[in-house]
Structures are given as C-alpha cells and as structure tokens.
Amino acid sequence: MEIKQMEEKIKLSPDSFEALPKAQELDNEKIAAPSLTFVQDAWRRLKMNKGAFISLWIIVLMMLVAFGSSFFIDHDSLVKSSPNYANLPAKIPGVPINGLNGKLKVSGEWVDEYKQNNIPTNKYFVLGTDYLGRSLAERIIYGTKVSLIVALVATFFDLTIGVTYGIVSGWKGGRVDNVMQRIIEVISSVPSLVIVVLMLLVLKPGMTSIIAAIAISSWTTMARMIRAETLQLKSQEYVLAARSLGESAPKIAWKHLVPNLSSIIIIQTMYTIPTAIFFEAFLSFIGIGISAPETSLGVLLNDGQKNFQFLPYQMWYPAIVLCVLMIAFNLLGDGLRDAFDPKTRR
C-alpha cells in the first residue's frame, strides 16, 4: 500500500525525458568563471594576500623615489658640508608635533633649533640634517638607491649563475655533479667578510668591492637548492616523455624545469635581496664598505650612532627605512611563493 502511494507521488510527466531545447542546452554548458592564464591567476592570488600586496607597492614606491632621485637631488649636495645647518631636527611645515616642527628636546625642554640658529623661515629639512649640515632625507634616499643597486646585482648573479649552475649540476649528475658540488663547497667555506677583505687588497673600498664579493659567493645557496630540485624533476614522467621525443636539454630546462622551479627561484631571490641589503649596510657600518663622504644606509647608521644619545633621529630614520625595506621584501617573497607555486593552486 505504501509503495503504491509513493509511486503515485513520484509520477513523472510524459515530457520529463525529452531533450532540452538547443538554446537552453548551450546555456547550461557555459562556464561561469572566465578562464585565467597562469600569470593572471598568480596576480589574482597575490592580490588576495594583503600583506604581500601592500609590500609590493611599498617596494615599487621606494624604488621610484630612489632611482628617480637623480632628477631632483644634486650629488654635490650629498657631500658638500653646510656648518650653519648642522644637527637641525626635522621640520615639516604645518605639522605641530614636537620633533617634526623644528624643535629639539634639550635639558628636558623643547627648543626651536631653527630660530636659535637664525635659519631663514623658508628653509627647512623634513628629516633634519647631520653633523655637517647635509639633508638627511636626501642622503637616505640616495642610500636606499645604493642598497637597491646591491640587491639587484645579487639577484642578477642568483638568476644567471646560480640557476644555470644548479640546473646543469642536477641534470648531468654523476661525476660532473660531484665536481660541481665540490666547487660550491670550496666557495661556501670562505666567509663573505673574508672575501670582501681580500677584495680590498685589490680594489678600493666601495661599491665595486661589494659587488665583486657578491659575484663570487652569493649564488651558491641558489645553486644548491636548484640542483636538489632538478634531481627530483628530471625523473618525472613529463620530462622523460620530452626526452623520448628528442627535445634538447636546454629546451627541456626552459619549458619543463624552470616553470616548476619558479617557486624556489622566487623564494630564494626574495631572501637574497634583504640579505644583500643587510650585507652592504653591515660592511658600510663597520667601515669596509662604502665610506664617507659617499652615503649608504650603513654609512648613515654609522654616523647616527655616534650622536644617538643626544640626536637619536639621525639614526632612527635610516634604521626605519632599512627595516621597512627588508620586511617588505620578505613579505613579498612569501606572497609570491604562494601565488606562483603550482602545488598550492586551488
């Protein structure tokens, strides 16, 4: 009895199994979401990571200001001393905040250093001046440019020597791989600081000696990571299929290995950049990198720490820029890793 009642309830109309109209059939087959390329999907995923996306624009802004400084900053003003403007605090017109309005705390009281030193009312420095009266803002911008140049050089050697060396070592294997890895071990066993000191015996202190040290030793970590991953990828089915079809080794490396190595390359590159920036700042801070009157973030930190007890702003401003730069690159590296890694795609 119950079965008959259920059959009556689920009775279907005669046209239930008729084919749908052509227009309705095509409409049901439409794809709701638009198809995206790999780069478009990576960009979408990067924008979803707020920290990485904000860091990207911070880096872009800092690079535009730093490399565009050649158009609005005279190099002579970076090295020329002006004793009348020495040790002036930051002054931003219209900002009534102590420390940013030209006042400096002396013996517990805020003193207007601009009035005390008879500085013209139309003359001000947004980040103050150093002990020789040079604008800290201009020197920080130029120092950031130097740090970014060092970072780009380190990236260049990572992407050229490191990636190529690692792929060749992992692809060849056997005796060739063994010899190439022993060379890396020899290079890695020598500290970078020792290499810089040795470069100073041949070259003068400055950008050239730092770049030479980076060219010799900075790419070894990238090469090791790429080699280890290549050893795994070369035994994958798609690589074996490409080899059986007669594709050349360079074509296989470019078409199959590099796309699957992109996440490692990006991650290591993003870690190389802040490491190179800190390396330059450290060398300049201890006096064997870029030296005065030229400027870099390390030189500014070295000058600022001498007067830190009485004029802390001279060290705080370059330290903040250095920290923001390094943190932004690290956050961007994490975001790019998640965006470009095929294994994390959803």
Side-chain angles (χ1 to χ4, degrees):
M1 187 69 178
E2 293 180 357
I3 296 175
K4 290 183 178 180
Q5 291 178 353
M6 291 179 63
E7 289 178 350
E8 291 177 357
K9 289 181 180 179
I10 61 174
K11 278 184 179 179
L12 300 175
S13 58
D15 60 344
S16 298
F17 297 99
E18 290 183 0
L20 291 172
K22 192 68 177 177
Q24 189 175 351
E25 181 180 350
L26 293 174
D27 187 64
N28 290 338
E29 292 180 358
K30 287 182 179 179
I31 300 174
S35 59
L36 298 175
T37 64
F38 178 76
V39 176
Q40 290 173 337
D41 183 57
W43 176 249
R44 178 187 62 83
R45 290 158 60 84
L46 180 63
K47 289 192 293 184
M48 292 172 61
N49 189 329
K50 300 302 181 184
F53 194 63
I54 293 173
S55 298
L56 171 64
W57 287 110
I58 291 175
I59 293 171
V60 170
L61 178 62
M62 295 181 76
M63 292 183 72
L64 288 175
V65 174
F67 289 104
S69 62
S70 304
F71 299 101
F72 58 87
I73 294 179
D74 185 11
H75 185 265
D76 293 337
S77 64
L78 298 173
V79 298
K80 184 180 179 181
S81 60
S82 302
N84 295 333
Y85 300 146
N87 296 326
L88 292 176
K91 183 178 181 180
I92 304 175
V95 178
I97 301 175
N98 290 332
L100 297 176
N101 59 356
K103 293 183 179 180
L104 189 65
K105 199 170 188 179
V106 180
S107 301
E109 297 182 0
W110 291 96
V111 179
D112 193 333
E113 293 289 331
Y114 284 75
K115 288 184 179 179
Q116 192 172 18
N117 291 278
N118 298 318
I119 307 298
T121 55
N122 61 344
K123 188 72 175 179
Y124 59 89
F125 300 90
V126 293
L127 293 182
T129 60
D130 63 3
Y131 67 101
L132 292 177
R134 298 169 297 190
S135 172
L136 271 180
E138 293 182 355
R139 288 175 65 81
I140 288 174
I141 291 173
Y142 189 84
T144 304
K145 177 182 176 180
V146 171
S147 297
L148 290 173
I149 290 174
V150 173
L152 293 176
V153 169
T155 303
F156 172 77
F157 287 114
D158 257 12
L159 295 178
T160 53
I161 301 177
V163 173
T164 305
Y165 195 97
I167 290 178
V168 172
S169 179
W171 183 262
K172 290 292 184 182
R175 184 176 298 177
V176 175
D177 179 39
N178 191 26
V179 172
M180 294 180 75
Q181 291 308 302
R182 299 297 81 74
I183 294 173
I184 287 182
E185 289 177 2
V186 171
I187 296 174
S188 301
S189 64
V190 182
S192 300
L193 187 60
V194 175
I195 296 176
V196 174
V197 174
L198 293 175
M199 290 296 103
L200 294 178
L201 299 177
V202 182
L203 306 170
K204 294 181 180 180
M207 181 76 76
T208 307
S209 60
I210 295 175
I211 290 176
I214 289 174
I216 292 173
S217 62
S218 69
W219 53 270
T220 55
T221 303
M222 174 73 82
R224 280 179 169 175
M225 297 181 68
I226 294 298
R227 176 252 181 188
E229 191 67 17
T230 302
L231 288 173
Q232 297 180 1
L233 291 177
K234 74 176 184 178
S235 61
Q236 298 295 319
E237 290 81 359
Y238 55 88
V239 176
L240 296 176
R243 295 180 69 177
S244 64
L245 291 173
E247 288 191 0
S248 62
K251 188 174 181 180
I252 293 174
W254 180 254
K255 188 177 179 181
H256 299 288
L257 296 182
V258 172
N260 287 280
L261 293 170
S262 61
S263 61
I264 295 178
I265 294 173
I266 292 169
I267 294 168
Q268 185 57 34
T269 299
M270 289 299 111
Y271 288 147
T272 297
I273 291 175
T275 301
I277 292 173
F278 182 79
F279 181 61
E280 179 279 321
F282 170 72
L283 294 178
S284 300
F285 181 79
I286 63 178
I288 63 174
I290 297 171
S291 56
E294 297 296 330
T295 185
S296 73
L297 294 178
V299 173
L300 293 171
L301 290 172
N302 186 24
D303 293 340
Q305 61 90 20
K306 298 174 183 177
N307 300 321
F308 183 73
Q309 185 175 358
F310 304 103
L311 303 169
Y313 67 90
Q314 292 184 359
M315 185 175 178
W316 276 120
Y317 294 143
I320 290 172
V321 172
L322 180 62
C323 291
V324 169
L325 198 58
M326 295 181 66
I327 292 172
F329 272 112
N330 279 296
L331 291 177
L332 179 60
D334 292 338
L336 290 174
R337 176 197 61 195
D338 297 336
F340 281 98
D341 190 354
K343 297 176 183 177
T344 63
R345 296 182 66 186
R346 296 178 182 177

